[in-house]
């Protein structure tokens, strides 16, 4: 009886709509239903929803009328994260549904596109739970960006919805060429520029843009990655379409321009960092690199020591000198040094052969091109694609196959030769991973692997009528064709030359083809040899892009934990970092034939912002701890003072910094032997109450690890406990890197606190 009571009104309403000849035009709607009202007569929600939709299809109407109503269709049903269904309905049918039992709400199903920079999704940031809502999206944390300035008109720097500028802010908006105070707002709260060092070096130079305005684009890109506002409908010429937003979208930006087209000098960088500290920034983002190795001469190291003393967290790019060993120059112990990794995003063109076989290749050709059913040509002589002259022999209306090998030019050169020829399109067969970091693709074409190339060459060689079609502007997300993240080939590797005894880089973040705001007047792509294209948003690669991701995460953590020190924030990121990729296997190294990455490439692993919000334990360090470290580095009094600046107490020098990683060094020039190194660490319980942790050891090869005690018991929050770690390890007469980890696992809890261990040569070969 209950079943009849529930369904009769729907049948009756459907009949009424037939009488009124409701419009047959339909849309897809997502319907939210109250599951608790489902009649007991139904075996499942799907049964309930399907019956509801079917009841709109009246059976007692004329055949001439019924075609208007049978189009109502159930599309999806939901019973886990969401209760309801999706259906194709007319407006009248929807109105009928609004009056049915259990209806809550409905809205049209709108098209969705992948999010960009996409990295916020890749890092697990979401509006429903975790660090974004807990930190209010970094609200009121001030990120100082020391770089090439900013393009203030970019939509990424709109300030809609932001509250007043924090009263503690001491900075200003400095007027200059094509830049005035109106260009600042509640997002860009400060803008200053520094070029006196540049002018001193070249007194006759004329600064082309003497203000904070960014005519290069690098600083704009970095700033929007860290704290850009939400902007819908952006892409790079159709690639990576979606919604752009920074890691900390409600944080404030203070811009310090120190890079100029006319030159860049250490003195200007020092001035910018110094002013940022005075202005009251909370986080400093420095995507700059200098060749100075010694800490006491490195301007970033010196300036950021003072920033650290003021409680400012400093994030610095590791540099792009990889993949060689010991290419990290700025191994600043008191800063977070950031490595660059890939994202689970692939920009592709679909190659379809005339025999129906489809291959997903790589392309960044910046347009939709008509490449349909063209002749596919393979010729051993032409396939080297080694000169424009040779390529003139190929049919101009064809798709030519170019094969990279030891005897041929590099892929980038092959692309150039084909671009300068009359060839319509090309298929490049190459295993050059460098192409995955570049946006330069000026002709219609795709890059496929040698394995895939064999099938394409076989087809083109055996068929006199071989043809192919290429479609462009595809964006693929997920683990295929390559797992992510992987350490970028170009990212600098440790150990740090300035001081190898502390693991650098500290951590890895997305840094390969990151979409973010840019100077819209800069040529970013090309078609052919003479057509330059610009865009409001650009895809860029490098540790410069990874660094502001960490700056943004630091801002989120600072907002959620305002009393945490820079060392505590760094520790939270490192001990919760992920050492596995999206296939749950160890992160790979692009620069080492996709073998497993070591901590010298990725630090503790890929940053995981949501886990960093609640790390369980932290390894904290005070300014005096860093003083003790500097005092132990065998510098002269003057060199030590260059870093520490003021009076300091060197009564307790120690290189055993309370740091969430362990580095054991050896000299490969010495005879093979066994060494022992001891470390002492203190961890602070930042969980909600008492907790017990037990250690799990994954020892490096040819090593023995001893941890004492093996159990840490905390009775309350903020309590400290210490432990000792001893590593006994074999050395080698060649360059061998072994690594492992220790993990403190909370018993009857959710926290795991992981620290990498690496056994490595101390100095680069040669």
């Amino acid at each position: 009886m209950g079943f009849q009571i529930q369904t009769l009104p729907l049948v009756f309403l459907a009949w009424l709509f037939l009488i009124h000849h409701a419009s047959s035009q339909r849309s897809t709607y997502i319907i939210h239903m109250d599951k608790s009202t489902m009649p007991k007569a139904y075996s499942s929600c799907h049964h309930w929803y399907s019956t509801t939709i079917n009841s709109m299809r009246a059976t007692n109407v004329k055949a001439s009328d019924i075609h208007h109503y049978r189009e109502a269709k159930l599309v999806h049903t939901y019973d886990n994260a969401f209760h309801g269904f999706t259906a194709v309905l007319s407006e009248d049918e929807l109105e009928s549904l609004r009056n049915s039992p259990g209806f809550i709400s409905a809205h049209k199903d709108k098209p969705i596109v992948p999010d960009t920079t996409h990295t916020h999704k890749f890092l697990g940031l979401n509006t429903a739970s975790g660090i974004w809502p807990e930190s209010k999206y970094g609200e009121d944390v001030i990120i100082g960006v020391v770089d090439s300035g900013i393009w203030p008109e970019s939509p990424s720097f709109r300030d809609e919805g932001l509250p007043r500028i924090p009263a503690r802010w001491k900075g200003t908006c400095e007027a200059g060429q094509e830049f005035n105070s109106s260009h600042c707002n509640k997002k860009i709260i400060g803008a200053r520029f520094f070029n006196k060092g540049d002018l001193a070096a070249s007194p006759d130079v004329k600064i082309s843009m003497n203000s904070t305005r960014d005519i290069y684009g690098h600083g704009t890109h970095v700033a929007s990655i860290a704290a850009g506002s939400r902007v819908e409908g952006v892409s790079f010429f159709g690639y990576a379409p979606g919604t752009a937003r920074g890691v900390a979208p409600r944080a404030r930006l203070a811009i310090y321009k120190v890079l100029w087209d006319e030159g860049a000098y250490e003195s200007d960088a020092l001035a910018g960092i110094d002013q940022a500290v005075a202005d009251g920034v909370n986080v400093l983002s420095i995507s700059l690199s200098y060749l100075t190795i010694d800490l006491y001469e490195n301007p970033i190291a010196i300036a950021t020591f003072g920033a650290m003393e003021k409680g400012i967290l400093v994030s610095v790019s590791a540099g792009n000198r990889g993949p060689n060993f010991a290419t990290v120059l700025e191994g600043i112990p008191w800063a977070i040094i950031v490595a660059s990794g890939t994202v689970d995003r692939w920009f592709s063109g679909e190659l379809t052969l005339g025999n129906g076989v489809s291959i997903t290749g790589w392309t960044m050709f910046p347009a939709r091109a008509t490449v349909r059913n063209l002749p596919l040509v393979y010729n051993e002589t032409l396939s080297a694609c080694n000169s424009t002259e040779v390529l003139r022999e190929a049919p101009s209306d064809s798709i030519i196959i170019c094969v990279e090998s030891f005897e041929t030019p590099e892929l980038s050169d092959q692309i150039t030769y084909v671009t300068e020829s009359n060839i319509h399109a090309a298929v490049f067969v190459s295993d050059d991973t460098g192409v995955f970091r570049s946006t330069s693709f000026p002709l219609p074409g795709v890059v496929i692997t040698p394995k895939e190339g064999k099938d394409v060459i076989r087809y083109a060689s055996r068929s006199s009528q071989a043809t192919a079609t290429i479609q462009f502007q595809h964006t693929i997300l997920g683990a295929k064709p390559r797992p992510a993240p992987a350490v970028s080939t170009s990212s600098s590797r440790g150990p740090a030359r300035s001081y190898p005894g502390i693991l650098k880089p500290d951590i890895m973040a997305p840094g390969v083809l990151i979409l973010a705001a840019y100077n819209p007047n800069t040529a970013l792509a090309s078609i052919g040899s003479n057509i330059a294209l610009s865009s409001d948003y650009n895809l860029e690669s490098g540790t410069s892009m990874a660094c502001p991701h960490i700056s943004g995460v630091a801002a989120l953590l600072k907002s959620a934990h305002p009393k945490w020190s820079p060392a505590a924030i760094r520790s939270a990121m490192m001990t919760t970092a992920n050492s596995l990729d999206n296939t749950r296997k160890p992160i790979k190294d692009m620069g080492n034939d996709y073998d497993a990455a070591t901590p010298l490439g990725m630090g503790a692993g890929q940053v995981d912002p949501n886990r960093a919000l609640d790390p369980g334990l932290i390894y904290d360090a005070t300014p005096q701890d860093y003083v003790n470290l500097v005092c132990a580095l065998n510098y002269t009094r003057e060199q030590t003072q260059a870093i520490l600046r003021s009076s300091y107490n060197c009564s307790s020098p120690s290189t055993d910094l309370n740091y969430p990683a362990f580095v054991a060094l050896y000299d490969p020039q010495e005879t093979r032997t066994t060494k022992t190194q001891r470390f002492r660490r203190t961890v602070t319980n930042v969980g909600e109450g008492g907790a017990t942790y037990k250690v799990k050891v994954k020892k490096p090869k040819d090593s023995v690890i001893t941890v004492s005690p093996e159990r840490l018991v905390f009775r309350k929050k903020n309590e400290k406990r210490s432990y000792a770690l001893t590593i006994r390890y074999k050395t080698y007469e060649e360059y061998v890197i072994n690594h492992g980890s220790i993990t403190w696992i909370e018993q009857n809890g959710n926290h795991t606190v992981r620290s990498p261990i690496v056994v490595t040569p101390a100095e680069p070969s040669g």
Side-chain angles (χ1 to χ4, degrees), residues 292-572:
T292 305
I293 295 175
D294 295 317
L295 293 174
Y296 52 81
E297 291 184 349
N298 187 312
I300 296 178
I302 295 169
T304 57
F305 188 93
M308 175 274 300
E309 287 184 309
K310 297 288 187 179
I312 299 169
L313 183 138
V314 183
S315 175
V316 179
S317 54
N320 303 311
R321 294 171 290 272
N324 292 336
F325 178 83
T327 46
V328 171
L329 303 185
E330 290 154 340
I332 305 170
W334 41 88
I336 301 178
I337 308 300
V338 188
S340 168
T342 61
V343 183
D344 64 337
R345 180 170 60 188
W346 182 268
F347 303 124
S348 69
E350 193 72 16
L351 171 66
T352 303
L353 305 180
N355 61 7
V357 173
S358 290
I359 297 171
T360 299
W362 173 272
T363 188
M364 290 295 297
F365 182 68
R368 293 176 64 184
T370 303
V371 184
R372 292 190 60 82
N373 299 321
L374 295 181
L376 181 65
V377 175
Y378 174 72
N379 178 291
E380 287 191 13
T381 302
L382 297 178
S383 67
C385 296
N386 54 4
S387 74
T388 305
E389 290 73 19
V390 170
L391 290 170
R392 286 175 183 158
E393 300 177 16
S396 61
D397 61 345
S398 64
I399 303 173
I400 190 170
I401 300 173
C402 297
V403 181
E404 184 189 28
S405 68
F406 291 112
E407 292 79 23
T408 68
E410 293 182 353
L411 173 62
S412 59
D413 293 328
Q414 288 184 326
I415 291 175
T416 299
Y417 290 135
V418 178
T419 301
E420 294 173 348
S421 72
N422 294 322
I423 302 297
H424 195 94
V427 174
F428 297 95
V429 180
S430 172
D431 57 5
D432 181 1
T433 59
V435 69
F436 306 140
R437 304 191 305 274
S438 172
T439 58
S440 177
F441 218 115
L443 83 155
V446 292
V447 180
I448 63 176
T449 67
K451 181 180 179 181
E452 295 163 335
K454 290 180 180 179
D455 294 332
V456 176
I457 292 171
R458 186 181 302 112
Y459 165 69
S461 301
R462 294 179 178 178
S463 173
S464 60
Q465 302 295 320
T467 62
T469 295
I470 307 175
Q471 293 180 312
F472 301 92
Q473 296 178 320
H474 291 186
T475 299
I476 301 172
L477 303 179
K480 294 181 178 180
R482 291 187 183 275
V487 181
S488 171
T489 301
S490 63
S491 186
S492 294
R493 275 37 172 202
R497 295 202 183 190
S498 53
Y499 176 58
I502 294 179
L503 179 64
K504 298 293 174 179
D506 297 87
I507 201 162
M508 186 172 74
V512 176
L513 292 180
I514 306 302
L515 186 68
Y518 218 71
N519 175 353
N521 298 330
T522 301
L524 301 179
S526 63
I527 296 177
S529 302
N530 59 352
I531 301 175
L533 304 174
S534 64
S535 172
D536 292 334
Y537 287 80
N538 187 23
L539 287 163
E540 287 238 291
S541 299
T543 55
S544 283
M545 287 63 250
C547 172
H549 279 91
I550 295 300
S551 304
V553 175
L556 298 176
L557 290 171
K558 187 69 176 178
S559 179
H561 301 288
K563 294 184 179 180
W564 278 11
S565 70
I569 292 174
R570 175 178 62 190
S571 172

Side-chain angles (χ1 to χ4, degrees), residues 536-667:
D536 292 334
Y537 287 80
N538 187 23
L539 287 163
E540 287 238 291
S541 299
T543 55
S544 283
M545 287 63 250
C547 172
H549 279 91
I550 295 300
S551 304
V553 175
L556 298 176
L557 290 171
K558 187 69 176 178
S559 179
H561 301 288
K563 294 184 179 180
W564 278 11
S565 70
I569 292 174
R570 175 178 62 190
S571 172
M573 283 192 264
M574 290 182 66
T575 60
T576 58
N578 199 339
S579 62
L580 304 178
D581 62 25
N582 55 3
T583 65
R584 306 303 300 164
K585 294 181 180 179
I587 290 173
K588 305 299 191 297
D589 189 332
M590 290 180 67
N592 190 26
D593 296 326
Y594 279 89
D595 287 342
T598 76
L600 298 182
M602 65 178 180
Q606 171 89 347
V607 66
D608 187 335
N610 290 322
R611 288 192 62 217
L613 177 67
D614 181 22
L617 305 176
I618 57 171
Y619 294 77
D620 209 350
T622 66
Q624 184 60 47
D625 292 327
Y626 293 110
V627 169
N628 294 342
L629 173 64
V630 174
C631 290
L633 296 183
N634 295 320
Y635 292 159
T636 66
R637 183 179 181 279
E638 292 75 16
Q639 291 167 345
T640 302
Q641 195 166 17
I643 300 171
L644 306 181
R645 300 180 341 290
S646 57
S647 59
Y648 53 88
N649 183 355
C650 268
S651 59
S652 303
S654 173
T655 57
D656 195 14
L657 184 70
N658 195 43
Y659 179 82
F662 303 87
V663 177
L665 302 171
Y666 70 90
D667 184 353

